[in-house]
Amino acid sequence: MKTAIYPGSFDPITLGHLNIIKRAAVCFDKLIVCVMVNSEKVNRGLFTPEERVELIRRVVAKLPNVEADCSSPLIAEYARNGEVAYSDGLLAAYAKRRKAHVVVKGLRAVSDYENELQMALINRKLNPRLETMFLPSSAKYTYVSSSMVKEMARYGAELSDFVPREIIGDVQRKMDSRRDG
Ligand code: PNS
């Protein structure tokens, strides 16, 4: 069974992510969409890791070989504290645990490549059986990112061109609650 992991922050999942998921899902027997901690974004989350997984589950419900997960039960604690890095939260360790040998990453622009290449090399150093495969994002979605979605939602913009329709209400409500709180 060929299992691949599509890791990311997914805060929240976008139409660009969904496009990569659908294209990767046809290449593998199983695709695990895994919410992981990006230490550079750790204190800037809109949704908790559990909420992100729930949103992804809803969006991929009709894709039979795609599952949503987060890297470790400790992920929420890590995200809250922003302190200790549990080795369990490393992508290389997670892949080993899930018996996956491929990591799928979407590339929106050449500028993404430098950082992604470094991560691919580190991941292979930590887990020599782990290959990273890059999928170029569809031209239609090159400008779509979770940060851009949050910015649009903050100003009450229409989100249907950016996030899957199943989660539009969740993003708007979460942003409203942030604004009110
Ligand atoms: O959507 P993002 O924020 O670009 O995703 C980045 C992510 C979460 C995939 C990356 O930061 C990651 O792999 N985090 C887990 C920790 C890890 O294994 N880091 C890479 C080796 S230092």
Side-chain angles (χ1 to χ4, degrees), residues 29-177:
D29 299 311
K30 178 151 96 175
L31 181 71
I32 305 170
V33 182
C34 187
V35 175
M36 306 202 101
V37 172
N38 179 336
S39 49
E40 284 169 21
K41 302 178 184 169
V42 81
N43 289 321
R44 292 191 275 126
L46 179 62
F47 291 96
T48 66
E50 288 82 0
E51 288 169 334
R52 297 178 209 181
V53 173
E54 207 282 311
L55 296 180
I56 297 167
R57 263 190 202 132
R58 214 185 302 154
V59 168
V60 303
K62 292 206 174 90
L63 302 172
N65 65 333
V66 179
E67 75 168 75
D69 192 15
C70 59
S71 59
S72 148
L74 297 172
I75 193 174
E77 201 177 320
Y78 175 48
R80 268 196 298 274
N81 297 336
E83 298 160 354
V84 198
Y86 299 98
S87 60
D88 251 15
L90 282 173
L91 174 57
Y94 178 82
K96 218 176 262 177
R97 223 166 45 239
R98 299 298 313 262
K99 299 187 173 35
H101 302 299
V102 177
V103 171
V104 172
K105 288 289 190 93
L107 287 181
R108 281 171 305 182
V110 176
S111 52
D112 287 344
Y113 183 69
E114 205 173 327
N115 188 34
E116 291 297 347
L117 175 65
Q118 193 180 23
M119 276 202 273
L121 294 174
I122 293 173
N123 285 331
R124 195 136 58 93
K125 169 89 181 145
L126 295 173
N127 175 351
R129 296 193 62 199
L130 195 56
E131 291 293 352
T132 299
M133 293 191 182
F134 295 117
L135 277 185
S137 84
S138 292
K140 208 171 146 188
Y141 299 119
T142 44
Y143 64 94
V144 178
S145 68
S146 300
S147 314
M148 181 273 247
V149 164
K150 284 180 272 196
E151 181 72 357
M152 299 293 278
R154 192 165 292 121
Y155 294 100
E158 163 67 37
L159 297 179
S160 55
D161 284 342
F162 313 122
V163 294
R165 62 184 158 68
E166 296 90 332
I167 71 160
I168 292 175
D170 299 77
V171 178
Q172 284 163 338
R173 277 191 297 280
K174 185 64 129 181
M175 200 47 95
D176 290 346
S177 72

